[in-house]
């Protein structure tokens, strides 16, 4: 009887071990997964962009080299991360079965694309890992620009951002002009970025204190603590354009980036229009924002990627 109990226990232990092993294997990635990035930057003085990817914990790969077709002068910088595990694995965040890691690419001002075009766009990169594996990965949408002549139609008097996926900017018009549209570089981000503007000059004249190094008015601090639906301003998709500004008029923008996305942002909000002298312009407000990548977001993203494959 005791022998039967012993063998029964061993069978249960083996079944449990097999079950746990099968479950563990089901959570393993066949290859590292690069996340989605929406990046646009200037490279005339060099630039650095950080790309994020998921690896399995048990075989955490490090990127050693990256090749981008049609682009020269791309270097992998020293591995980046915020935490070190007990096994000295460098990572940004730890999940149940995976690490979120990063690789920072440096784009040299001495090289670039073999073209007279003002910009270079790519979505795929060839990644070589230290264990000799090689992958061609979709990293999202990336645009590198040559530095244009500065139109200088607006002067950015104040910018701020928070870990609540919010940002705001106060701009002063250097000349009389008309804004015809405010956009993000990619149409598919329309649902991910919301922008409200305030152009009531009577109210915004309180911002004149910023010119002399004074403090922002109280309503700017109040807006930062309110829920997005309660933040004052007019959404830019409510037929507000064109907007006419005299010299020294103010424009205040509040921006909200949806936190439940799984993509990283580093690009300019674009202000397009015409000066009173008839010259077209494109001015910009740079923004950087990272998503909230909770375990549920990671699980959903992995399931979607595996479904595509």
């Amino acid at each position: 009887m005791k022998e039967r109990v012993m063998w029964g226990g061993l069978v249960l232990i083996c079944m449990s071990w097999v079950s746990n092993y099968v479950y563990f294997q089901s959570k393993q990635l066949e290859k590292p997964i690069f996340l989605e990035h929406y990046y646009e930057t200037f490279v005339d003085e060099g630039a650095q962009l950080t790309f994020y990817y998921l690896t399995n914990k048990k075989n955490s790969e490090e990127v050693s080299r990256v090749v981008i077709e049609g682009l020269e002068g791309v270097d992998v910088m020293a591995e980046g991360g915020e935490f070190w595990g007990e096994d000295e694995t460098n990572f940004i965040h730890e999940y149940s079965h995976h690490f979120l890691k990063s690789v920072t690419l440096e784009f040299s001002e001495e090289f670039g694309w073999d073209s007279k075009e003002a910009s270079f766009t790519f979505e795929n990169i060839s990644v070589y890992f230290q264990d000799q594996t090689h992958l061609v990965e979709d990293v999202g949408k990336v645009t590198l620009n040559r530095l244009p002549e500065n139109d200088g139609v607006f002067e950015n008097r104040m910018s701020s951002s928070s870990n609540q996926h919010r940002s705001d900017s106060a701009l002063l018009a250097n000349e009389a002009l008309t804004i015809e549209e405010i956009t993000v570089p990619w149409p598919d981000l329309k649902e991910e970025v919301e922008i409200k503007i305030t152009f009531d000059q009577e109210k915004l004249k309180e911002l004149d204190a910023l010119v002399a190094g004074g403090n922002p008015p109280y309503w700017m601090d109040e807006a930062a603590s309110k829920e997005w639906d309660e933040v004052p301003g007019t959404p830019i998709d409510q037929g507000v354009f064109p907007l006419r500004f005299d010299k020294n008029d103010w424009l205040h923008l509040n921006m909200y980036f949806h936190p439940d996305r799984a993509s990283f942002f580093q690009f300019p909000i674009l202000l397009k229009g015409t000066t009173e002298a008839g010259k077209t312009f494109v001015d910009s407000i740079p923004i950087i924002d990272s998503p909230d990548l909770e375990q549920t977001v990671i699980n959903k993203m992995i399931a979607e990627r595996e479904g595509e494959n």
Side-chain angles (χ1 to χ4, degrees):
M1 183 67 180
K2 291 182 178 180
E3 187 175 345
R4 289 182 179 179
V5 172
M6 180 187 71
W7 283 107
L10 289 174
V11 169
L12 289 175
I13 291 173
C14 290
M15 290 178 63
S16 176
W17 184 88
V18 170
S19 176
N20 290 336
Y21 179 78
V22 170
Y23 176 76
F24 173 79
Q25 287 299 117
S26 71
K27 297 299 181 181
Q28 298 304 291
L29 302 174
E30 293 184 5
K31 62 178 184 178
I33 293 178
F34 272 75
L35 278 65
E36 190 173 45
H37 308 79
Y38 286 90
Y39 287 167
E40 181 169 340
T41 190
F42 297 106
V43 296
D44 288 67
E45 297 180 358
Q48 297 176 4
L49 294 175
T50 300
F51 296 86
Y52 298 86
Y53 62 100
L54 288 172
T55 68
N56 296 321
K57 282 186 177 180
K58 71 172 186 177
N59 54 346
S60 179
E61 293 88 348
E62 296 286 349
V63 176
S64 61
R65 187 164 66 98
V66 168
V67 176
I68 301 173
E69 185 176 355
L71 191 65
E72 297 181 4
V74 181
D75 295 318
V76 174
M77 300 189 66
E79 62 186 35
E82 296 178 359
F83 303 103
W84 290 85
E86 294 180 358
D87 59 352
E88 296 188 345
T89 298
N90 196 15
F91 59 87
I92 300 295
H93 192 84
E94 181 178 7
Y95 297 98
S96 298
H97 301 278
H98 311 106
F99 286 134
L100 176 66
K101 307 189 71 174
S102 69
V103 56
T104 298
L105 303 184
E106 184 173 29
F107 300 88
S108 173
E109 62 177 319
E110 298 177 0
F111 301 96
W113 50 98
D114 185 19
S115 171
K116 295 182 180 180
E117 296 295 328
S119 63
F120 180 89
T121 300
F122 64 90
E123 298 182 5
N124 298 313
I125 63 176
S126 292
V127 185
Y128 296 83
F129 294 93
Q130 290 180 351
D131 64 357
Q132 307 305 312
T133 58
H134 167 232
L135 298 173
V136 177
E137 289 290 317
D138 184 344
V139 295
K141 300 181 186 299
V142 184
T143 299
L144 307 177
N145 295 310
R146 302 189 196 281
L147 196 63
E149 294 183 6
N150 185 12
D151 291 319
V153 294
F154 278 104
E155 184 176 346
N156 195 332
R157 283 293 182 176
M158 189 214 70
S159 292
S160 66
S161 60
S162 73
N163 58 6
Q164 301 301 312
H165 308 284
R166 298 267 286 274
S167 178
D168 75 306
S169 291
L171 309 176
L172 185 69
N174 288 331
E175 58 184 296
L177 55 88
T178 299
I179 296 179
E180 292 154 8
E181 62 176 339
I182 298 176
T183 65
V184 296
W186 299 279
D188 50 337
L189 290 185
K190 186 176 180 181
E191 302 300 322
E192 308 290 350
V193 180
E194 295 187 31
I195 303 173
K196 292 181 179 180
I197 57 176
T198 304
F199 46 89
D200 179 350
Q201 294 306 313
E202 183 175 349
K203 179 179 182 179
L204 292 178
K205 283 300 179 183
E206 297 177 32
L207 295 173
D208 284 340
L210 298 176
V211 178
N215 296 321
Y218 73 92
W219 48 265
M220 292 186 72
D221 291 332
E222 285 186 346
S225 62
K226 290 182 177 179
E227 294 295 325
W228 177 249
D229 291 341
E230 300 175 349
V231 172
T234 304
I236 62 172
D237 59 357
Q238 292 191 1
V240 297
F241 302 108
L243 289 173
R244 175 75 171 81
F245 293 84
D246 291 324
K247 183 177 180 180
N248 294 327
D249 277 353
W250 286 91
L251 172 64
H252 183 238
L253 296 92
N254 274 301
M255 292 155 281
Y256 174 71
F257 316 107
H258 286 263
D260 56 354
R261 69 187 197 277
S263 53
F264 292 81
F265 291 169
Q266 182 174 331
F267 57 79
I269 301 295
L270 304 176
L271 290 73
K272 303 179 181 180
T274 308
T275 67
E276 189 175 54
K279 180 181 178 181
T280 60
F281 68 84
V282 178
D283 219 328
S284 62
I285 301 170
I287 62 99
I288 298 176
D289 191 72
S290 299
D292 291 334
L293 297 174
E294 303 295 337
Q295 184 70 61
T296 53
V297 177
I298 293 297
N299 294 344
K300 180 180 178 182
M301 184 190 66
I302 292 175
E304 291 174 349
R305 293 290 186 93
E306 291 180 343
E308 293 173 358
N309 297 329

